[in-house]
Amino acid sequence: MQKRWIGLIALLVAEAMNLLDATIVQVAAPVIHADLGGRASDIPWFSAAYTLPFAALLITGGRLGDVFGRRRMFRIGVTGFVMASSACALAAQPGVLIGARVVQGVAAALIIPQTIGLIRSSFEGPELPKALGTIGPVMGLAGISGPLLGGFITEATSWRAVFLVNVPLGLAVLGLAHLLPESKSPHRPAVDLVGTVLLTAGTALVVYPILQSQNWYLLPAGVALLGLCLLQQRYSRGRLIELSLFTHRGFGAALVTSTLFFAVMSGLTLVVVLHQQLTLHHGVMRSSLVLLPWSAATGITAWIAGQWLIGRFGSRLMYVGLGVLLIGIVIANYWLLPGLALGGAGVGLFTTAFFTEALQRVQPHETGSAAGLLNAVQQFGGTLGVAGLGTVFLHHPATPHRAFWIATALIAATVVTAHLMRSQRSRQPAHAAPAPASTAR
């Protein structure tokens, strides 16, 4: 196997490891609280302490890779993540665990945005779409498999193993990181400290009340700060966000599409787990195994799409994936496991086509911003889905049908935004074709 493909495996393992930690604690959180004690209000923070800094700093993390080198920031992030994971596993008090989770989230925000830039530096020609096509399935599987793995590991061993498993994986990734080429933006931008503060504070104020389902007065303040950040970006010399991404190439529609899609993915899987545990009174392991058809079908169809279908059908595969997912959700209202299997197949088809389409025209100097934005809206969409669909279910815990029908409507909206994404790209001028990835070795 060529070095660049081994390097790709290292990138994908790091990406999966980080994204799994965004969801893997959900089913383990009650067990952690029973062991460590403390207040019941600590339980949501076992997840939120990771998600908040992760979502808030993703765009900044991408920009730091542009400036200082993506491989360098990737290594720093993985090292910090391994150390923080060890601290989580050894925590004897809830406060210590929450603090270590914050460090994990910061480290993840350094790791995840570098993946796209390092892939573009390692591959070119027909190999590049295949390599980029692996990102979507990995992100999708990681988001779906978190509760499944969390339940399995917690029941089989201990909640501490949920964090300890990151240590050998992280060390293996560090051992392979030398196979990755160093990569920077060809025109080194300045670091925008004002934009970083505005973006981080605004994102945190938006995400926090959604996660907590309270303190809603913070939400308009967060939106105002994000608006001020966008205004500041127009006049800043060293920008966090490359505004050229939003010019005639459907990237704005891609961000909306990602938000809607991952809201459905994260929200649906949470509703399924809650229904199993709260309504049917199943244990952690059994509840998690219900998601196995969804996860397995996602992995299989994503691999098939990346190997054969994406080259033949291109971005049209997004429509097929969304259609299959829509049918699967409808069926799941009546026959849960077959519906989840069909829905997972749609997820695999869609994510492969979506990330390939969203990233294939990104220019080298836009890579950090594009990666940070796509990952940030994924986290934001997942937060919206968990808060929205989870709240709908908890108000009507006897059945998940209401949440499923809302998810159906969201998928229908995703079809519209995906079409806007493709139609806007089709109007892109010929001179805006993608440039070869720039590599600094």
Coordinates of all heavy atoms in Angstrom, one line a residue, residues 211-279:
L211 N -28.0 23.3 23.9 CA -27.6 22.1 24.6 C -28.3 22.0 26.0 O -28.7 20.9 26.4 CB -26.1 22.1 24.9 CG -25.2 21.7 23.7 CD1 -23.7 22.0 24.1 CD2 -25.3 20.2 23.4
Q212 N -28.5 23.1 26.7 CA -29.1 23.1 28.0 C -30.6 23.2 28.0 O -31.2 22.9 29.0 CB -28.5 24.2 28.8 CG -27.0 24.2 29.0 CD -26.6 23.0 29.9 OE1 -26.1 22.0 29.3 NE2 -26.8 23.0 31.2
S213 N -31.2 23.6 26.8 CA -32.6 23.8 26.7 C -33.1 24.8 27.8 O -34.2 24.7 28.4 CB -33.4 22.5 26.9 OG -33.1 21.6 25.8
Q214 N -32.2 25.8 28.1 CA -32.5 26.9 29.0 C -31.6 28.0 28.7 O -30.8 28.0 27.8 CB -32.4 26.4 30.4 CG -31.0 25.9 30.8 CD -30.9 25.4 32.2 OE1 -31.9 25.4 32.9 NE2 -29.7 25.0 32.6
N215 N -31.8 29.1 29.5 CA -31.0 30.3 29.2 C -31.1 30.8 27.8 O -30.1 31.2 27.2 CB -29.5 30.1 29.6 CG -29.3 29.7 31.1 OD1 -30.0 30.3 32.0 ND2 -28.5 28.7 31.3
W216 N -32.3 30.8 27.3 CA -32.5 31.2 25.9 C -32.2 32.6 25.6 O -32.0 33.0 24.4 CB -33.9 30.9 25.5 CG -34.2 29.4 25.5 CD1 -35.0 28.7 26.4 CD2 -33.8 28.4 24.5 NE1 -35.0 27.4 26.1 CE2 -34.3 27.2 25.0 CE3 -33.0 28.5 23.4 CZ2 -34.0 26.0 24.3 CZ3 -32.7 27.3 22.7 CH2 -33.3 26.1 23.1
Y217 N -32.1 33.5 26.6 CA -31.7 34.9 26.3 C -30.3 35.0 25.8 O -30.0 36.0 25.2 CB -31.9 35.7 27.6 CG -30.9 35.2 28.7 CD1 -29.6 35.8 28.8 CD2 -31.3 34.2 29.6 CE1 -28.8 35.4 29.8 CE2 -30.4 33.8 30.6 CZ -29.2 34.4 30.7 OH -28.3 34.0 31.7
L218 N -29.5 34.0 25.9 CA -28.1 34.0 25.4 C -28.1 33.8 23.9 O -27.2 34.3 23.2 CB -27.3 32.9 26.0 CG -27.0 33.1 27.5 CD1 -26.3 31.8 28.0 CD2 -26.2 34.3 27.8
L219 N -29.2 33.2 23.3 CA -29.2 32.9 21.9 C -29.1 34.1 21.0 O -28.3 34.2 20.1 CB -30.4 32.0 21.6 CG -30.5 31.4 20.2 CD1 -29.3 30.5 19.9 CD2 -31.8 30.6 20.0
P220 N -30.0 35.1 21.2 CA -29.9 36.3 20.4 C -28.6 37.1 20.5 O -28.1 37.7 19.6 CB -31.1 37.2 20.9 CG -31.5 36.7 22.2 CD -31.2 35.2 22.1
A221 N -28.0 37.0 21.7 CA -26.7 37.6 21.9 C -25.6 36.9 21.1 O -24.7 37.5 20.5 CB -26.3 37.6 23.4
G222 N -25.7 35.6 21.0 CA -24.8 34.8 20.2 C -24.9 35.1 18.7 O -24.0 35.3 18.0
V223 N -26.2 35.2 18.3 CA -26.5 35.5 16.9 C -25.9 36.9 16.5 O -25.3 37.1 15.5 CB -28.0 35.4 16.6 CG1 -28.3 35.9 15.2 CG2 -28.5 34.0 16.8
A224 N -26.1 37.8 17.4 CA -25.6 39.2 17.2 C -24.1 39.2 17.1 O -23.5 39.8 16.2 CB -26.0 40.1 18.3
L225 N -23.4 38.4 17.9 CA -21.9 38.4 17.9 C -21.5 37.7 16.6 O -20.5 38.1 16.0 CB -21.4 37.6 19.1 CG -21.3 38.4 20.4 CD1 -20.7 37.4 21.5 CD2 -20.4 39.6 20.3
L226 N -22.2 36.7 16.1 CA -21.8 36.0 14.9 C -22.0 37.0 13.7 O -21.2 37.0 12.7 CB -22.6 34.7 14.7 CG -22.3 33.6 15.6 CD1 -23.2 32.4 15.4 CD2 -20.8 33.1 15.4
G227 N -23.1 37.7 13.7 CA -23.3 38.7 12.7 C -22.2 39.8 12.7 O -21.8 40.2 11.6
L228 N -21.8 40.2 13.9 CA -20.7 41.2 14.0 C -19.4 40.6 13.5 O -18.6 41.3 12.8 CB -20.5 41.6 15.5 CG -19.5 42.7 15.7 CD1 -19.8 44.0 15.0 CD2 -19.4 42.9 17.3
C229 N -19.2 39.3 13.7 CA -18.0 38.6 13.2 C -18.0 38.6 11.7 O -17.0 38.9 11.0 CB -18.0 37.2 13.7 SG -16.6 36.2 13.1
L230 N -19.2 38.3 11.0 CA -19.2 38.3 9.6 C -18.9 39.7 9.0 O -18.3 39.8 8.0 CB -20.6 37.8 9.1 CG -20.9 36.3 9.3 CD1 -22.3 36.0 8.9 CD2 -19.9 35.5 8.4
L231 N -19.5 40.7 9.7 CA -19.2 42.1 9.3 C -17.7 42.4 9.4 O -17.1 43.0 8.5 CB -20.1 43.1 10.1 CG -19.9 44.5 9.7 CD1 -20.4 44.8 8.3 CD2 -20.7 45.4 10.7
Q232 N -17.2 42.0 10.5 CA -15.7 42.2 10.7 C -14.9 41.5 9.7 O -13.8 42.0 9.3 CB -15.4 41.8 12.2 CG -13.9 42.0 12.6 CD -13.1 40.8 12.4 OE1 -13.6 39.7 12.2 NE2 -11.8 40.9 12.6
Q233 N -15.3 40.3 9.3 CA -14.5 39.6 8.3 C -14.4 40.3 6.9 O -13.5 40.1 6.2 CB -15.2 38.2 8.1 CG -15.0 37.3 9.3 CD -13.6 36.9 9.6 OE1 -12.9 36.2 8.8 NE2 -13.0 37.4 10.7
R234 N -15.4 41.1 6.6 CA -15.4 41.8 5.3 C -14.2 42.8 5.3 O -13.7 43.2 4.2 CB -16.7 42.6 5.1 CG -17.9 41.6 4.9 CD -19.1 42.4 4.5 NE -18.9 43.1 3.3 CZ -19.8 43.9 2.7 NH1 -21.0 44.1 3.3 NH2 -19.6 44.4 1.5
Y235 N -13.8 43.3 6.5 CA -12.8 44.4 6.5 C -11.5 43.9 7.2 O -10.5 44.7 7.2 CB -13.3 45.6 7.2 CG -14.6 46.1 6.6 CD1 -15.9 45.8 7.2 CD2 -14.6 46.8 5.4 CE1 -17.1 46.2 6.6 CE2 -15.8 47.3 4.8 CZ -17.0 47.0 5.5 OH -18.2 47.4 4.9
S236 N -11.5 42.7 7.7 CA -10.3 42.2 8.3 C -9.2 41.9 7.3 O -9.4 41.3 6.3 CB -10.6 41.0 9.2 OG -9.4 40.5 9.8
R237 N -7.9 42.2 7.7 CA -6.8 41.9 6.8 C -6.5 40.4 6.9 O -6.2 39.7 5.9 CB -5.6 42.7 7.3 CG -4.3 42.4 6.4 CD -3.2 43.4 6.8 NE -2.0 43.1 6.1 CZ -1.1 42.3 6.6 NH1 -1.2 41.7 7.8 NH2 0.1 42.0 5.9
G238 N -6.5 39.8 8.1 CA -6.3 38.4 8.2 C -7.6 37.7 8.6 O -8.0 37.7 9.7
R239 N -8.2 37.1 7.6 CA -9.6 36.5 7.8 C -9.6 35.1 8.3 O -8.8 34.3 7.9 CB -10.4 36.6 6.5 CG -10.7 38.0 6.1 CD -11.3 38.0 4.7 NE -11.7 39.3 4.2 CZ -12.0 39.6 3.0 NH1 -12.0 38.7 2.1 NH2 -12.3 40.9 2.7
L240 N -10.5 34.8 9.2 CA -10.8 33.5 9.6 C -11.6 32.7 8.6 O -11.4 31.6 8.3 CB -11.6 33.4 10.9 CG -10.9 33.6 12.3 CD1 -11.9 33.7 13.4 CD2 -9.9 32.5 12.5
I241 N -12.5 33.4 8.0 CA -13.4 32.9 7.0 C -13.1 33.5 5.6 O -13.1 34.7 5.5 CB -14.9 33.1 7.3 CG1 -15.2 32.6 8.7 CG2 -15.8 32.6 6.3 CD1 -16.5 33.0 9.3
E242 N -12.8 32.6 4.6 CA -12.6 33.1 3.3 C -14.0 33.4 2.6 O -14.7 32.4 2.3 CB -11.8 32.1 2.5 CG -10.4 32.0 2.9 CD -9.5 33.2 2.5 OE1 -10.0 34.0 1.7 OE2 -8.5 33.4 3.1
L243 N -14.3 34.6 2.5 CA -15.6 35.0 1.9 C -15.8 34.5 0.5 O -16.9 34.4 0.0 CB -15.9 36.5 2.1 CG -15.8 37.0 3.5 CD1 -16.1 38.5 3.5 CD2 -16.8 36.3 4.4
S244 N -14.7 34.3 -0.2 CA -14.8 33.8 -1.6 C -15.5 32.5 -1.7 O -15.9 32.1 -2.8 CB -13.4 33.7 -2.2 OG -12.5 32.8 -1.4
L245 N -15.5 31.7 -0.6 CA -16.2 30.4 -0.6 C -17.7 30.6 -1.0 O -18.3 29.7 -1.5 CB -16.1 29.8 0.8 CG -14.8 29.1 1.2 CD1 -14.8 28.8 2.7 CD2 -14.6 27.9 0.4
F246 N -18.3 31.8 -0.7 CA -19.7 32.0 -0.9 C -20.0 32.6 -2.2 O -21.1 33.1 -2.4 CB -20.2 32.8 0.3 CG -20.0 32.2 1.6 CD1 -18.9 32.5 2.4 CD2 -20.9 31.3 2.1 CE1 -18.7 31.9 3.6 CE2 -20.7 30.7 3.3 CZ -19.6 31.0 4.1
T247 N -19.0 32.7 -3.1 CA -19.2 33.3 -4.4 C -19.5 32.3 -5.5 O -18.6 31.6 -6.0 CB -18.0 34.2 -4.8 OG1 -17.7 35.0 -3.7 CG2 -18.2 35.0 -6.0
H248 N -20.8 32.2 -5.9 CA -21.2 31.5 -7.1 C -20.9 30.0 -7.1 O -20.8 29.4 -8.1 CB -20.6 32.1 -8.4 CG -20.8 33.5 -8.5 ND1 -22.1 34.1 -8.6 CD2 -19.9 34.6 -8.6 CE1 -22.0 35.4 -8.7 NE2 -20.7 35.7 -8.7
R249 N -20.6 29.4 -5.9 CA -20.2 28.0 -5.9 C -21.1 27.1 -5.0 O -20.7 26.0 -4.7 CB -18.8 27.8 -5.6 CG -17.9 28.3 -6.7 CD -16.4 28.1 -6.4 NE -16.0 29.1 -5.4 CZ -14.9 29.0 -4.6 NH1 -14.1 27.9 -4.7 NH2 -14.6 29.9 -3.8
G250 N -22.2 27.6 -4.5 CA -23.1 26.8 -3.7 C -22.6 26.4 -2.4 O -23.2 25.5 -1.7
F251 N -21.5 27.0 -1.9 CA -21.0 26.6 -0.6 C -22.0 27.0 0.5 O -22.1 26.2 1.5 CB -19.6 27.2 -0.3 CG -18.9 26.6 0.8 CD1 -18.3 25.4 0.7 CD2 -18.9 27.2 2.1 CE1 -17.6 24.8 1.7 CE2 -18.2 26.6 3.1 CZ -17.6 25.4 3.0
G252 N -22.6 28.1 0.4 CA -23.6 28.5 1.5 C -24.7 27.4 1.5 O -25.2 27.0 2.6
A253 N -25.2 27.0 0.4 CA -26.2 25.9 0.3 C -25.7 24.6 0.9 O -26.4 23.9 1.6 CB -26.7 25.7 -1.1
A254 N -24.4 24.4 0.7 CA -23.8 23.2 1.3 C -23.8 23.2 2.8 O -24.0 22.2 3.5 CB -22.4 23.0 0.8
L255 N -23.6 24.4 3.4 CA -23.6 24.5 4.8 C -25.0 24.3 5.4 O -25.2 23.6 6.4 CB -23.1 25.9 5.2 CG -21.6 26.2 4.9 CD1 -21.2 27.6 5.4 CD2 -20.7 25.2 5.5
V256 N -26.0 24.8 4.7 CA -27.4 24.6 5.2 C -27.7 23.1 5.0 O -28.4 22.5 5.9 CB -28.4 25.5 4.4 CG1 -29.8 25.2 4.8 CG2 -28.0 27.0 4.6
T257 N -27.3 22.5 3.9 CA -27.6 21.1 3.7 C -27.0 20.2 4.8 O -27.6 19.3 5.3 CB -27.0 20.7 2.3 OG1 -27.7 21.4 1.3 CG2 -27.3 19.2 2.1
S258 N -25.7 20.5 5.1 CA -25.1 19.8 6.2 C -25.8 20.0 7.5 O -25.9 19.0 8.3 CB -23.6 20.2 6.3 OG -22.9 19.5 7.3
T259 N -26.2 21.2 7.8 CA -26.9 21.4 9.1 C -28.1 20.6 9.2 O -28.4 20.0 10.2 CB -27.2 22.9 9.2 OG1 -26.0 23.7 9.1 CG2 -27.9 23.2 10.6
L260 N -29.0 20.6 8.2 CA -30.2 19.9 8.2 C -30.0 18.4 8.3 O -30.6 17.7 9.1 CB -31.0 20.2 7.0 CG -31.6 21.7 6.8 CD1 -32.2 21.9 5.5 CD2 -32.6 21.9 7.9
F261 N -29.1 17.9 7.5 CA -28.8 16.5 7.4 C -28.3 15.9 8.7 O -28.8 14.9 9.2 CB -27.8 16.2 6.3 CG -27.5 14.7 6.2 CD1 -28.4 13.8 5.6 CD2 -26.3 14.2 6.7 CE1 -28.1 12.5 5.5 CE2 -26.0 12.9 6.6 CZ -26.9 12.0 6.0
F262 N -27.3 16.6 9.3 CA -26.8 16.1 10.6 C -27.7 16.3 11.8 O -27.6 15.6 12.8 CB -25.4 16.6 10.8 CG -24.3 16.0 10.0 CD1 -23.8 16.6 8.9 CD2 -23.9 14.7 10.3 CE1 -22.9 16.0 8.1 CE2 -22.9 14.1 9.5 CZ -22.4 14.7 8.4
A263 N -28.6 17.3 11.7 CA -29.7 17.4 12.7 C -30.5 16.2 12.7 O -30.9 15.6 13.8 CB -30.5 18.6 12.4
V264 N -30.9 15.7 11.5 CA -31.7 14.4 11.4 C -30.9 13.2 11.9 O -31.4 12.4 12.7 CB -32.1 14.2 10.0 CG1 -32.8 12.8 9.8 CG2 -33.1 15.3 9.5
M265 N -29.7 13.1 11.5 CA -28.9 11.9 11.9 C -28.7 11.9 13.4 O -29.0 10.8 14.1 CB -27.5 12.0 11.3 CG -27.4 11.4 9.9 SD -25.7 11.4 9.2 CE -24.9 10.6 10.5
S266 N -28.3 13.0 14.0 CA -28.0 12.9 15.5 C -29.3 12.9 16.3 O -29.4 12.1 17.3 CB -27.2 14.2 15.9 OG -26.0 14.3 15.2
G267 N -30.3 13.6 15.8 CA -31.6 13.6 16.5 C -32.3 12.2 16.5 O -32.8 11.8 17.5
L268 N -32.3 11.6 15.3 CA -32.9 10.3 15.2 C -32.3 9.2 16.1 O -33.0 8.4 16.7 CB -33.0 9.9 13.7 CG -34.1 10.3 12.9 CD1 -34.0 9.7 11.5 CD2 -35.4 9.9 13.5
T269 N -31.0 9.2 16.0 CA -30.3 8.1 16.8 C -30.5 8.3 18.3 O -30.7 7.4 19.0 CB -28.8 8.1 16.5 OG1 -28.2 9.4 16.7 CG2 -28.5 7.7 15.1
L270 N -30.6 9.6 18.8 CA -30.9 9.8 20.2 C -32.3 9.4 20.5 O -32.5 8.7 21.5 CB -30.7 11.3 20.5 CG -31.1 11.7 21.9 CD1 -30.1 11.1 22.9 CD2 -31.1 13.2 22.1
V271 N -33.2 9.7 19.6 CA -34.6 9.3 19.9 C -34.8 7.8 20.0 O -35.5 7.3 20.8 CB -35.5 9.9 18.8 CG1 -36.9 9.3 18.8 CG2 -35.7 11.4 19.0
V272 N -34.1 7.1 19.1 CA -34.2 5.6 19.1 C -33.7 5.1 20.4 O -34.3 4.2 21.1 CB -33.4 5.0 17.9 CG1 -33.3 3.5 18.1 CG2 -34.1 5.4 16.6
V273 N -32.5 5.6 20.9 CA -31.9 5.2 22.1 C -32.8 5.5 23.3 O -33.1 4.7 24.2 CB -30.5 5.8 22.3 CG1 -30.0 5.5 23.7 CG2 -29.6 5.2 21.3
L274 N -33.4 6.7 23.3 CA -34.2 7.1 24.4 C -35.5 6.3 24.5 O -36.0 5.9 25.6 CB -34.6 8.6 24.3 CG -33.5 9.6 24.6 CD1 -34.0 11.1 24.3 CD2 -33.0 9.5 26.0
H275 N -36.1 6.0 23.3 CA -37.3 5.2 23.3 C -37.0 3.8 23.8 O -37.8 3.2 24.5 CB -37.8 5.1 21.8 CG -39.0 4.3 21.7 ND1 -39.0 3.1 21.0 CD2 -40.3 4.5 22.1 CE1 -40.2 2.6 21.0 NE2 -41.0 3.4 21.7
Q276 N -35.9 3.2 23.5 CA -35.5 1.9 24.0 C -35.4 1.9 25.5 O -35.8 1.0 26.2 CB -34.2 1.4 23.3 CG -34.3 1.2 21.8 CD -35.2 0.1 21.4 OE1 -35.1 -1.0 22.0 NE2 -36.2 0.3 20.5
Q277 N -34.7 2.9 26.0 CA -34.4 2.9 27.5 C -35.6 3.4 28.3 O -35.9 2.9 29.3 CB -33.1 3.8 27.7 CG -31.9 3.2 27.2 CD -30.6 3.9 27.6 OE1 -30.6 4.5 28.7 NE2 -29.5 3.8 26.9
L278 N -36.2 4.6 27.9 CA -37.2 5.2 28.7 C -38.6 4.6 28.5 O -39.4 4.5 29.5 CB -37.2 6.7 28.4 CG -35.9 7.5 28.7 CD1 -36.1 8.9 28.4 CD2 -35.4 7.2 30.1
T279 N -38.9 4.2 27.3 CA -40.3 3.7 27.1 C -40.3 2.2 27.2 O -41.2 1.6 27.8 CB -40.7 4.1 25.7 OG1 -40.7 5.5 25.5 CG2 -42.2 3.7 25.4

